[in-house]
Amino acid sequence: MKLYTYFRSSAAYRVRIALNLKGLDYEAVPVHLLKDGGEQLSASYRKINPSALVPALQDERGTLTQSMAILEYLEETHPDVPLMPPDPLGRARVRELCQIVACDIHPLNNLRVLRYLVHTFGISEEAKTEWYRHWVSDGLAALEAHLARDPGAADFCHGETPTLADCFLVPQVFNAQRFNIDLAPYPNVARINANCTQLPAFAHAHPSQQPDAE
Amino acid sequence: MKLYTYFRSSAAYRVRIALNLKGLDYEAVPVHLLKDGGEQLSASYRKINPSALVPALQDERGTLTQSMAILEYLEETHPDVPLMPPDPLGRARVRELCQIVACDIHPLNNLRVLRYLVHTFGISEEAKTEWYRHWVSDGLAALEAHLARDPGAADFCHGETPTLADCFLVPQVFNAQRFNIDLAPYPNVARINANCTQLPAFAHAHPSQQPDAE
């Protein structure tokens, strides 16, 4: 398998964690999001992903994009290390947590969005940081409230082993920490993140451990 | 089943379509996103969905949020009218199309985001419309490119019957049309939307057909 990735991309980080948890070998193909105006915008990369975003995963069946779709696909095609609970309600909970990160937090703080705010609206660096922190704090509060009310949350987002939800949580917490967001108001998030980051599968997926890390 | 919904919510619209396609009865509980500063922000609604967003679905098992998680759950618990293809690559394609709408288009044009742009950045009505149209156009172009390159796209996003991807496409096209976005550059999107909207399940889920429509 080939993973088109960028070391600091939160969505690529999710897929790297899942691949590691499942013990799947892959070739990392770096796509530099900042160099030459963004390699993801090139005609050659758009042939791989017309959305001009990372990650993309290629295997013998085809090319897949969108981290959630890729993770569900890996779960279906490599079920040996399950990253989803066996019951429909449990799976719904896991997907709910994934989507809180994927839909309600991350899209607002994506590179292309921050660029629009700066280049088109002309907002200051300070206002940009405030925007970033606002959506992360808001989203982590939602994640915390969902985790706090659910008896399924334990050492990990759902139960005693990692699921897809943890693959989403950890990269989002990494982003929050880059922006100095205090995790104290989110004790469930902080505990689960600490449990995850001790595992080699998560540690090896960390941005700093990637071949294209700067 | 109870669906917490708002007639114009794109995410609630997706769930209404899936419920109709599967022939499932439900009670619509309107949550008015604009009245009294937003009913979704009330303490009572936050008990149902701590994220303070619609939709939420309640059945005998529990309360679910996030449209993608709800749709996958309905597919697992009511498989009689399948809205997912049988093969992993097909399912990955369907999920990819869903997530292009759910992650790359819709979050940027959500009510809470538009409010932030106006109230905090003080952008004009014109700049807000330009932002809205930018992300819809960009996202529809991506959707179109994905559909155009895939032999699986036919009368519907994937094959000859509706899937979850069509439940996402139609509400997004409805939003685009509200902002007078011309669909001519997106012929696959336009064709599939036209095929879907002829079906009663889609027609009955339309915002104008809801009990809380204004």
Side-chain angles (χ1 to χ4, degrees):
Chain A
M1 278 187 289
K2 250 187 211 179
L3 178 68
Y4 293 85
T5 176
Y6 178 61
F7 73 111
R8 214 142 59 187
S9 156
S10 189
Y13 188 177
R14 298 167 193 158
V15 179
R16 296 195 302 257
I17 295 168
L19 287 165
N20 292 349
L21 284 168
K22 286 183 175 290
L24 298 171
D25 265 343
Y26 66 96
E27 178 196 344
V29 183
V31 179
H32 201 300
L33 301 191
L34 302 172
K35 209 166 63 184
D36 304 330
E39 289 179 355
Q40 76 281 14
L41 301 171
S42 67
S44 62
Y45 185 69
R46 281 183 194 270
K47 281 189 194 148
I48 293 155
N49 184 2
S51 297
L53 296 166
V54 290
L57 185 80
Q58 283 180 328
D59 73 358
E60 70 290 353
R61 286 193 188 85
T63 304
L64 305 173
T65 70
Q66 293 291 341
S67 61
M68 187 74 201
I70 294 171
L71 265 59
E72 296 262 14
Y73 174 81
L74 291 173
E75 181 66 8
E76 292 187 357
T77 53
H78 298 88
D80 285 352
V81 179
L83 299 179
M84 281 293 247
D87 59 306
L89 188 63
R91 282 194 294 275
R93 270 203 70 239
V94 167
R95 289 179 176 128
E96 180 179 70
L97 298 170
C98 293
Q99 296 287 286
I100 291 173
V101 174
C103 304
D104 298 346
I105 311 178
H106 181 246
L108 297 163
N109 292 337
N110 211 343
L111 180 64
R112 60 189 192 137
V113 174
L114 301 178
R115 277 190 173 150
Y116 190 106
L117 295 177
V118 171
H119 296 159
T120 306
F121 292 157
I123 63 161
S124 66
E125 200 57 35
E126 200 183 341
K128 186 180 91 173
T129 301
E130 197 39 57
W131 160 277
Y132 195 106
R133 292 170 57 95
H134 173 79
W135 296 115
V136 171
S137 303
D138 191 78
L140 289 182
L143 210 50
E144 177 65 25
H146 280 272
L147 289 167
R149 79 169 176 179
D150 202 296
D155 282 354
F156 296 93
C157 283
H158 189 84
E160 302 299 344
T161 56
T163 63
L164 299 190
D166 302 289
C167 300
F168 277 76
L169 180 140
V170 167
Q172 188 56 61
V173 170
F174 169 77
N175 282 350
Q177 289 174 325
R178 278 181 64 210
F179 279 76
N180 299 316
I181 288 167
D182 179 14
L183 292 184
Y186 322 114
N188 283 281
V189 172
R191 182 191 74 249
I192 291 166
N193 183 65
N195 291 336
C196 287
T197 50
Q198 284 173 19
L199 301 180
F202 286 83
H204 295 154
H206 192 275
S208 67
Q209 302 305 303
Q210 302 317 302
D212 59 331
E214 281 161 9
Chain B
M1 276 187 290
K2 249 187 211 178
L3 178 67
Y4 292 85
T5 176
Y6 178 62
F7 74 110
R8 213 142 61 187
S9 156
S10 189
Y13 190 178
R14 297 167 193 158
V15 179
R16 297 195 302 258
I17 296 169
L19 287 164
N20 292 350
L21 284 168
K22 287 182 174 290
L24 299 171
D25 266 343
Y26 66 95
E27 178 195 343
V29 183
V31 179
H32 202 299
L33 301 191
L34 301 173
K35 209 165 63 184
D36 304 329
E39 289 178 355
Q40 76 282 14
L41 301 171
S42 67
S44 63
Y45 185 69
R46 281 183 194 270
K47 281 187 195 148
I48 293 155
N49 184 2
S51 296
L53 297 166
V54 291
L57 185 80
Q58 283 180 327
D59 73 0
E60 70 290 352
R61 287 194 187 84
T63 304
L64 305 174
T65 70
Q66 293 290 339
S67 60
M68 187 74 202
I70 293 172
L71 265 59
E72 296 262 14
Y73 174 81
L74 290 174
E75 181 66 9
E76 292 186 357
T77 53
H78 299 88
D80 285 353
V81 180
L83 299 179
M84 282 292 248
D87 58 306
L89 188 64
R91 282 195 294 275
R93 269 202 71 239
V94 167
R95 290 180 176 125
E96 180 179 69
L97 298 170
C98 293
Q99 295 286 287
I100 290 173
V101 173
C103 304
D104 298 346
I105 311 178
H106 181 246
L108 297 163
N109 292 337
N110 212 344
L111 181 64
R112 62 190 189 135
V113 174
L114 300 177
R115 278 190 172 151
Y116 190 106
L117 295 177
V118 170
H119 296 159
T120 306
F121 292 157
I123 64 162
S124 66
E125 200 58 35
E126 200 184 343
K128 187 179 90 173
T129 300
E130 196 39 56
W131 160 277
Y132 194 106
R133 292 170 56 94
H134 173 80
W135 297 115
V136 171
S137 303
D138 191 79
L140 289 182
L143 210 51
E144 177 65 25
H146 280 272
L147 289 167
R149 79 168 177 180
D150 202 295
D155 282 354
F156 296 93
C157 283
H158 190 85
E160 302 299 344
T161 55
T163 63
L164 298 190
D166 301 290
C167 301
F168 276 75
L169 180 139
V170 167
Q172 187 56 61
V173 170
F174 169 77
N175 282 351
Q177 288 174 328
R178 278 181 65 211
F179 279 76
N180 299 317
I181 288 166
D182 179 15
L183 292 185
Y186 322 114
N188 283 281
V189 171
R191 182 190 74 249
I192 291 166
N193 182 65
N195 291 335
C196 288
T197 50
Q198 285 173 19
L199 301 179
F202 285 84
H204 295 154
H206 192 274
S208 66
Q209 302 305 304
Q210 303 315 302
D212 59 330
E214 280 161 11

